[in-house]
């Protein structure tokens, strides 16, 4: 058994005994023993095996710990630990990690109020039951509530869109700081990951303490976690962490490259550097021979120094970017300005907030040349989904409105038609046939087995009038996993039947994900990026879809709605 493993067992013993408010000397004995063993540069196992040696002569390890260590090394287990783990429920350990609570109080709460989960704990606070408990009081109750929020928020990754809002607000605040000469966001936010764990800001400043002071005056700041000479970490709002690092001008590119990550990408760049007799880190690229700096000021220089073309941050996940960069095959990634239409949006005929004309005006303002109105079909009763009659009435209205927008905007007759639980479409074929654009999607029966969901999707793909599958996996980021579905078969069928796949740009959906998008591209399936807007402002989520598409490596050509409608229409096989 490794020393580290033995030390970890003693550490856990100490923690659990602490939960039980055991004798502090006993707790400390375990802690000291854990540290002694962790820091020991010889193997405890071999010392025990050597008759001439005495483990208990090592400071920190007394007679009791010697016996425990022997048991542990010979059997791989410590019965006392197993027993303690059974006695102390998980929720107590979770509660004890909440700032402002701690072990003793956690145990007391669990025992006296029968708290079984963190949501029980929150409820107890809200019902004022904790304030009434002996030894707690109103202040402690409030501290627990605050601590709960921090513990929960710190565990959650926020949507990229929320990270973006925060980054823009902090960026604006920092622009008013006169000592800052350069500033850039790095990390997962820059890579456009669908969720962001924390934000990473890099700056070049004439006076670092002043720049840090300025960050600390950010109005939403709730606390400073740590502050050193080059790095400061703060909490913003409920608990979100923002790191800011100050670097030298001639290291800026190297730092930006390093702190953009991903870690897997960085490990790969280090390997390439080494193969070229170079060393790469957050300070620059250096010659292994004489340590001279070869690059560092810009990212382009840094990549060039190790024989690579600059790689867009969205691609830096150590997937295919290195081979593409080496072979000069990096895709020219899609940009917002390439988009000319939006083929998924709702009006107040169903669950949207705006009228048909308001949506059309909003689309014109956003320089789109065509939109499809795709309200829900009847199965979605909660949204007052359209039956064939109401749908045809909407299309009549579109016929009238169309003339008003001639030469400015093409309004397509569309529908987001549900794929029913037993399979089949929610509206008859003769109705779907009259549409310009038919989205098929699943909103019910999402927990069905994989085969059944796959069959439903295949059925929709085979329907002659369906144009595109909307939000193909049904996932909601942080809230609902994708349904079980054989995406391989779905994509094959989409390809075979000449249909399209949607990338739903809603920041909570971003469905398809980056990996599926890369697969669609490989198979030559055109992807349509759509807002799924339920209001005029909802059209603006398009840019989150663009980010996701870039992570999937999509170029302009890979995306259907970068083409005029007349051209896009020919990509869809209908009838
Ligand atoms: P996040 O914050 O969880 O959404 O993801 P990142 O990628 O922003 O991760 P973060 O904030 O921990 O660090 C930012 C970047 O810094 C990361 O992508 C790569 C780089 N980095 C940080 N720590 C290490 C490390 O120990 N080794 C290497 N190679 N790179 C690191
Ligand atoms: Ca980060
Ligand atoms: Ca970070
Ligand atoms: Zn929709």
């Amino acid at each position: 058994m490794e020393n580290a493993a033995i030390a970890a067992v003693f550490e856990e013993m100490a923690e659990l005994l602490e939960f039980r408010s055991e004798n502090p000397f006993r707790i400390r004995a375990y802690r000291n023993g854990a540290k002694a063993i962790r820091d020991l540069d010889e193997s405890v196992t071999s010392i025990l095996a050597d008759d001439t040696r005495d483990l208990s002569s090592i400071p920190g390890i007394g007679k009791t710990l010697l016996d425990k260590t022997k048991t542990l090394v010979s059997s791989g287990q410590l019965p006392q630990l197993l027993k303690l783990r059974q006695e102390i429920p998980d929720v107590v350990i979770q509660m004890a990690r909440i700032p402002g609570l701690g072990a003793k109080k956690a145990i007391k709460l669990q025992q006296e109020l029968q708290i079984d989960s963190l949501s029980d704990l929150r409820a107890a606070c809200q019902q004022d039951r904790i304030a009434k408990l002996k030894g707690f009081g109103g202040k402690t109750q409030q501290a627990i509530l605050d601590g709960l929020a921090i513990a929960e928020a710190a565990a959650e990754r926020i949507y990229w869109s929320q990270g973006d809002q925060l980054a823009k607000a902090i960026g604006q605040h920092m622009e008013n700081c006169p000592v800052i000469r350069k500033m850039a966001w790095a990390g997962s936010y820059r890579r456009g990951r669908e969720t962001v764990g924390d934000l990473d800001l890099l700056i070049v400043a004439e006076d670092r303490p002043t720049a840090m002071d300025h960050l600390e005056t950010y109005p939403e700041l709730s606390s400073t976690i740590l502050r050193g000479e080059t790095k400061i970490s703060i909490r913003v709002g409920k608990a979100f962490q923002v790191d800011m690092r100050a670097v030298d001008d001639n290291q800026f590119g190297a730092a930006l490259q390093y702190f953009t990550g991903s870690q897997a990408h960085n490990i790969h760049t280090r390997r390439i550097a080494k193969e070229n007799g170079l060393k790469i880190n957050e300070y620059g690229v250096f010659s292994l021979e004489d340590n001279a700096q070869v690059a560092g000021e810009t990212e382009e220089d840094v990549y060039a120094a190790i024989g690579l073309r600059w790689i867009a941050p969205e691609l830096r996940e150590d997937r295919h970017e290195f081979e593409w960069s080496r072979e000069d095959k990096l895709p020219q990634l899609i940009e917002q300005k390439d988009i000319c239409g939006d083929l998924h949006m709702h009006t107040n005929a169903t669950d949207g907030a705006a009228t048909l004309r308001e949506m059309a005006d909003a689309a014109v303002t956003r320089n789109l040349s065509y939109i499809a109105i795709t309200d829900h079909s009847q199965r979605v009763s909660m949204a007052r989904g359209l039956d064939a009659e109401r749908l045809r009435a909407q299309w009549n209205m579109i016929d009238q409105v169309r003339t008003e927008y001639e030469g400015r905007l093409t309004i397509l007759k569309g529908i987001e038609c549900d794929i029913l639980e037993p399979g089949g479409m929610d509206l008859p074929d003769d109705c779907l046939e009259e549409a310009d654009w038919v989205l098929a999607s699943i909103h019910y029966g999402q927990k069905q087995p994989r085969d059944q969901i796959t069959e439903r999707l295949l059925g929709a793909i085979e329907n002659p009038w369906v144009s595109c599958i909307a939000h193909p996996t049904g996932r909601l980021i942080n809230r609902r996993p994708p349904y079980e579905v054989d995406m391989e078969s779905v994509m094959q069928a989409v390809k075979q039947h000449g249909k399209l796949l949607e990338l739903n740009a809603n920041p909570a959906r971003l469905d398809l994900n980056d990996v599926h998008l890369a697969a669609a591209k490989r198979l030559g399936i055109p992807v349509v990026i759509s807002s799924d807007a339920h209001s005029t402002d909802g059209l603006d989520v398009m840019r989150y879809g663009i980010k996701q598409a870039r992570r999937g490596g999509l170029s302009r050509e890979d995306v259907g709605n970068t083409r005029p409608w007349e051209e896009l229409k020919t990509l869809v096989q209908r009838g």
Side-chain angles (χ1 to χ4, degrees):
M1 198 173 198
E2 295 295 318
N3 288 3
I6 301 169
V9 167
F10 289 158
E11 192 64 53
E12 191 179 349
M13 280 296 293
E15 269 173 40
L16 291 175
L17 291 171
E18 207 164 44
F19 281 125
R20 293 201 346 173
S21 322
E22 296 274 332
N23 181 336
F25 294 103
R26 215 177 138 207
I27 296 166
R28 193 168 319 140
Y30 277 108
R31 285 250 153 80
N32 290 344
K35 175 158 179 15
I37 289 173
R38 202 184 303 116
D39 293 348
L40 197 65
D41 56 10
E42 290 176 89
S43 157
V44 165
T45 308
S46 27
I47 296 176
L48 284 178
D50 185 344
D51 283 344
T52 68
R53 306 279 308 271
D54 178 11
L55 186 68
S56 62
S57 70
I58 291 168
I61 301 175
K63 173 81 183 66
T64 320
L65 277 198
L66 175 63
D67 288 343
K68 297 260 180 333
T69 310
K70 282 180 180 166
T71 311
L72 195 50
V73 169
S74 61
S75 72
Q77 284 179 339
L78 200 58
Q80 290 92 336
L81 177 62
L82 300 180
K83 193 158 160 276
L84 276 176
R85 278 185 184 158
Q86 266 183 349
E87 280 170 24
I88 300 168
D90 229 22
V91 65
V92 170
I93 297 170
Q94 286 172 21
M95 284 197 286
R97 291 203 186 107
I98 295 170
L101 200 47
K104 279 186 197 157
K105 286 186 171 147
I107 292 169
K108 190 158 181 203
L109 284 176
Q110 201 266 332
Q111 287 172 347
E112 304 211 356
L113 298 178
Q114 282 81 48
I115 287 181
D116 289 331
S117 68
L118 292 187
S119 46
D120 282 0
L121 177 64
R122 179 184 297 278
C125 288
Q126 285 161 346
Q127 293 155 4
D128 215 27
R129 285 160 58 210
I130 287 172
K132 291 184 189 126
L133 212 60
K134 190 159 168 278
F136 282 79
K139 262 196 189 151
T140 310
Q141 179 170 281
Q142 188 55 47
I144 292 173
L145 262 181
D146 295 345
L148 251 178
I150 290 178
E152 283 171 357
E156 196 184 326
R157 304 177 60 85
I158 62 174
Y159 296 153
W160 189 88
S161 58
Q162 297 169 311
D164 184 49
Q165 256 181 8
L166 189 55
K168 294 228 160 91
I170 294 173
Q172 259 175 19
H173 175 78
M174 294 309 286
E175 261 166 30
N176 296 326
C177 177
V179 298
I180 290 182
R181 304 227 327 271
K182 274 188 196 171
M183 184 164 77
W185 290 102
S188 55
Y189 168 62
R190 182 166 181 240
R191 301 200 310 281
R193 257 191 81 173
E194 54 200 33
T195 61
V196 175
D198 69 12
L199 282 174
D200 304 277
L201 183 62
L202 286 183
I203 57 163
V204 175
E206 278 140 36
D207 172 3
R208 292 174 177 182
T210 303
M212 291 187 187
D213 289 348
H214 192 85
L215 182 65
E216 288 191 296
T217 66
Y218 180 65
E220 306 285 308
L221 174 134
S222 44
S223 66
T224 297
I225 302 166
L226 64 89
R227 179 171 163 163
E229 283 185 6
T230 58
K231 180 182 170 187
I232 175 170
S233 294
I234 60 167
R235 284 197 196 288
V236 169
K238 256 204 305 190
F240 196 74
Q241 182 170 335
V242 180
D243 297 337
M244 183 174 88
R245 293 179 180 84
V247 301
D248 290 343
D249 216 354
N250 68 341
Q251 303 170 344
F252 189 72
L256 185 57
Q257 196 284 325
Y258 181 88
F259 290 109
T260 296
S262 65
Q263 200 154 324
H265 178 90
N266 287 356
I267 290 167
H268 200 142
T269 55
R270 273 205 296 271
R271 199 173 74 221
I272 294 174
K274 216 168 156 196
E275 287 163 4
N276 289 295
L278 298 162
K279 182 177 81 184
I280 182 169
N281 57 30
E282 62 264 55
Y283 307 111
V285 184
F286 303 89
S287 155
L288 277 176
E289 225 162 79
D290 56 4
N291 227 13
Q293 178 166 347
V294 184
E297 201 172 333
T298 71
E299 269 195 338
E300 282 81 357
D301 298 347
V302 168
Y303 280 105
I306 58 170
L308 295 175
R309 286 182 168 268
W310 182 82
I311 297 169
E314 293 92 336
L315 297 177
R316 300 184 194 172
E317 299 291 343
D318 197 16
R319 289 177 184 158
H320 302 286
E321 71 270 26
F322 290 101
E323 108 206 18
W324 289 339
S325 176
R326 237 186 342 261
E327 296 166 9
D328 204 3
K329 283 185 186 151
L330 282 163
Q332 168 95 37
L333 298 179
I334 183 172
E335 294 173 39
Q336 170 101 42
K337 66 173 168 53
D338 297 329
I339 294 292
C340 53
D342 191 338
L343 293 167
H344 188 162
M345 66 191 64
H346 299 264
T347 71
N348 61 358
T350 60
D351 58 348
T355 64
L356 177 61
R357 277 194 183 81
E358 284 165 347
M359 292 308 285
D361 288 340
V364 170
T365 310
R366 287 161 180 78
N367 286 320
L368 298 176
S369 66
Y370 56 94
I371 57 171
I373 301 295
T374 55
D375 271 311
H376 288 291
S377 61
Q378 55 195 1
R379 174 68 185 87
V380 190
S381 46
M382 269 186 343
R384 295 184 303 116
L386 306 175
D387 57 19
E389 192 183 338
R390 283 175 63 214
L391 181 57
R392 285 191 169 108
Q394 185 182 55
W395 287 344
N396 279 336
M397 187 156 111
I398 289 180
D399 278 329
Q400 292 164 33
V401 173
R402 263 178 182 170
T403 53
E404 297 167 30
Y405 290 88
E406 227 169 277
R408 293 191 294 153
L409 181 75
T410 303
I411 304 173
L412 301 170
K413 298 174 182 172
I415 179 73
E416 178 176 14
C417 184
D418 253 60
I419 303 169
L420 299 172
E421 288 100 311
M425 302 299 291
D426 190 22
L427 289 167
D429 277 2
D430 65 301
C431 180
L432 297 180
E433 181 179 355
E434 290 167 39
D436 300 308
W437 175 254
V438 176
L439 292 173
S441 64
I442 289 182
H443 292 103
Y444 295 92
Q446 308 200 6
K447 293 206 171 120
Q448 288 173 351
R450 181 182 167 96
D451 286 352
Q452 201 174 348
I453 300 240
T454 305
E455 277 309 310
R456 285 166 73 191
L457 284 166
L458 294 180
I461 293 161
E462 284 159 21
N463 180 292
W465 307 111
V466 167
S467 317
C468 177
I469 304 293
H471 45 75
T473 78
R475 64 108 173 237
L476 291 176
I477 297 171
N478 284 354
R479 283 191 279 152
R480 188 173 74 201
Y483 31 70
E484 305 273 339
V485 56
D486 177 358
M487 271 311 273
E488 289 275 329
S489 306
V490 167
M491 287 201 184
Q492 292 294 348
V494 164
K495 172 80 185 160
Q496 187 196 335
H497 292 274
K499 311 290 183 179
L500 310 190
L501 284 175
E502 179 183 83
L503 160 51
N504 190 297
N506 183 310
R509 287 193 183 271
L510 294 174
D511 181 6
L512 300 173
N513 70 18
D514 50 359
V515 174
H516 284 143
L517 289 168
K521 175 177 172 136
R522 182 165 42 76
L523 290 169
I525 299 169
V527 168
V528 169
I529 310 177
S530 302
S531 68
D532 197 356
H534 284 68
S535 66
T536 52
D537 287 348
L539 294 170
D540 294 325
V541 302
M542 185 63 82
R543 59 199 200 84
Y544 308 133
I546 306 281
K547 258 275 176 264
Q548 180 84 327
R550 290 170 63 88
R551 285 183 59 82
L554 302 197
S555 303
R556 191 189 162 147
E557 310 80 77
D558 305 317
V559 175
N561 52 325
T562 60
R563 298 166 169 77
W565 169 245
E566 289 305 321
E567 196 183 324
L568 168 54
K569 202 162 66 173
T570 64
L571 295 181
V572 194
Q573 232 172 285
R574 289 182 79 220

